Amino acid sequence: MKKIHDVIIIGGGQSGLAVAYYLRRKGIDYLILDAEEGPGGSWRHYWESLRLFSPAQWSSLPGKLMQGGISHYPSKNDVINYLETYERHYKINIERPVLVEKVYYENKVYRIVTNKGEFRSWSIVSATGTFRNAEIFPEVEHQDIFEGEVLHSSSYVEPTPFIGKRVAIIGEGNSGAQILAELSQHSDTFWITKDEPDYLPDHVDGKYLFDAASQLYEAKRKGKSFIPPSLGHIVMVPSVKDARARGVLKHLPAMKGFTKTGIKLIDGSEYDVDIVIFCTGFSASIDYLKELPLAFRHHKVDTRGTKSRELPGLWMVGYGSWTGFASATLIGVGRSAKATSNEIAEFLS
């Protein structure tokens, strides 16, 4: 019979590593199962020019600073290299590539079914984020008649395939603004937004958001109210500032539907385009939990902090605001991970 681990962490990206760091410090037996071919989690799949909105010093996991200090905004590859170094430095116990297919809860033990066999544990940390197979496409009319190409931002890598094309970018968040900033240098771009884009002040970066998370934590501890800034607002990273200077941060009204050769907007205007990129977000990649006795609401697990309210021994880490303010960021997940490790230690005792 296979060993029953104290904890199995599903997902080897930034959230899984942060939890492992704290479990390791407590001497708790854990194993990470990661579906990726190598370190880096979802960062391995983002577009090449992506840069963090936080300087390196404010983009680090617990225990080890990312190199670059207060003036360097890390690239996608900087983050991947950092996460690889982090794994090696702390000798993180991880197996990959292991794709978790289903999880069952039987006789107070979790049985994890994967493409590499079964694993068992007393507790589970789900840390798979929102990238893998979880794209959100809004419902729009007449997509079936459109003769062009429709993509999600998760498929965008770099601008070469779009050179000389007419591209509609849908979405008023950070990914939409950053992809627009890059493609506008190579293509005719149309930025379509449901709502007015909301830009954070130029000085707001990861340090500011980390401070906001700390204020939120202290306010909750003291029973006070504090409303942190929304991470959905656009952070003015250098590429977006450049787009502003070039005068391309201009948006059009929301999209109503497709035409044969392009898109139609809610104001009745039509634009011929070759490609439509939906930068409309992701939902949690947690389909493997569907066999558990949980009441999923809007594709989310009901939690208090990161701990499941319905099932003992289950934690959800790094999924955004519903599991902790800024918990989907490098700098923000540390607080959630630490609290989770404390709760796991108590549960196992």
Side-chain angles (χ1 to χ4, degrees):
M1 182 177 291
K2 270 199 169 185
K3 171 184 178 180
I4 301 179
H5 292 276
D6 284 343
V7 190
I8 284 183
I9 302 168
I10 303 173
Q14 61 199 36
S15 300
L17 296 184
V19 174
Y21 168 83
Y22 284 111
L23 293 177
R24 175 181 177 275
R25 288 182 62 181
K26 292 178 179 295
I28 294 175
D29 165 56
Y30 74 89
L31 172 66
I32 295 179
L33 302 178
D34 185 36
E36 299 296 338
E37 295 289 334
S42 59
W43 290 96
R44 297 167 58 86
H45 304 286
Y46 292 136
W47 64 93
E48 291 299 325
S49 66
L50 174 65
R51 286 195 175 271
L52 296 184
F53 56 69
S54 314
Q57 183 169 326
W58 302 101
S59 303
S60 303
L61 293 178
K64 185 173 178 60
L65 284 176
M66 186 184 296
Q67 292 186 341
I70 62 174
S71 58
H72 175 61
Y73 287 78
S75 68
K76 162 190 168 178
N77 288 330
D78 288 334
V79 176
I80 293 172
N81 291 337
Y82 167 72
L83 294 177
E84 182 176 10
T85 301
Y86 193 92
E87 276 188 29
R88 190 168 56 248
H89 180 78
Y90 289 113
K91 299 180 175 62
I92 300 295
N93 187 22
I94 188 165
E95 291 192 24
R96 62 163 62 96
V98 179
L99 178 63
V100 173
E101 298 168 347
K102 295 181 185 297
V103 177
Y104 299 90
Y105 186 61
E106 303 166 345
N107 300 318
K108 299 185 179 181
V109 174
Y110 287 91
R111 181 165 63 91
I112 301 97
V113 179
T114 80
N115 64 336
K116 299 291 179 66
E118 294 190 1
F119 298 81
R120 302 167 79 218
S121 64
W122 298 112
S123 60
I124 290 282
V125 175
S126 179
T128 43
T130 59
F131 191 87
R132 179 179 288 271
N133 300 324
E135 300 94 345
I136 295 175
F137 286 91
E139 293 185 10
V140 291
E141 300 175 350
H142 307 309
Q143 183 173 336
D144 57 316
I145 69 172
F146 180 51
E147 295 179 344
E149 188 176 2
V150 177
L151 304 173
H152 190 270
S153 60
S154 59
S155 301
Y156 179 77
V157 178
E158 51 92 23
T160 302
F162 304 88
I163 292 175
K165 301 290 183 67
R166 294 167 63 85
V167 184
I169 299 157
I170 317 296
E172 62 269 18
N174 282 288
S175 59
Q178 288 193 35
I179 291 175
L180 169 76
E182 178 166 80
L183 281 183
S184 62
Q185 300 180 69
H186 308 275
S187 314
D188 291 331
T189 53
F190 305 86
W191 192 20
I192 316 300
T193 68
K194 181 180 178 182
D195 300 309
E196 183 84 14
D198 193 349
Y199 304 99
L200 289 170
D202 284 12
H203 72 277
V204 173
D205 60 14
K207 179 182 183 301
Y208 180 93
L209 296 171
F210 175 74
D211 290 343
S214 298
Q215 292 176 61
L216 177 63
Y217 174 79
E218 287 300 320
K220 284 186 174 181
R221 191 173 66 85
K222 296 176 181 178
K224 297 181 179 180
S225 176
F226 175 75
I227 301 175
S230 169
L231 291 180
H233 296 174
I234 295 171
V235 182
M236 299 304 293
V237 296
S239 64
V240 177
K241 290 179 182 177
D242 174 70
R244 180 179 62 190
R246 290 187 284 113
V248 299
L249 286 185
K250 298 176 180 178
H251 65 98
L252 296 168
M255 182 177 173
K256 181 178 182 181
F258 287 90
T259 65
K260 186 176 181 180
T261 59
I263 57 175
K264 183 175 183 178
L265 307 184
I266 58 172
D267 65 356
S269 60
E270 296 184 9
Y271 295 86
D272 287 344
V273 297
D274 303 301
I275 303 169
V276 177
I277 304 176
F278 283 99
C279 303
T280 43
F282 303 85
S283 59
S285 302
I286 55 175
D287 285 347
Y288 55 87
L289 298 179
K290 291 298 178 66
E291 300 298 326
L292 295 176
L294 300 168
F296 292 90
R297 298 177 182 86
H298 306 292
H299 206 67
K300 295 178 181 179
V301 174
D302 189 14
T303 60
R304 180 180 181 182
T306 63
K307 185 179 182 179
S308 168
R309 292 179 182 268
E310 301 171 281
L311 197 58
L314 173 64
W315 282 264
M316 312 291 296
V317 178
Y319 292 95
S321 58
W322 61 284
T323 59
F325 175 68
S327 70
T329 66
L330 280 159
I331 192 65
V333 74
R335 195 183 300 281
S336 296
K338 185 176 183 179
T340 297
S341 71
N342 290 337
E343 291 176 352
I344 290 173
E346 182 179 356
F347 170 77
L348 293 172
S349 66

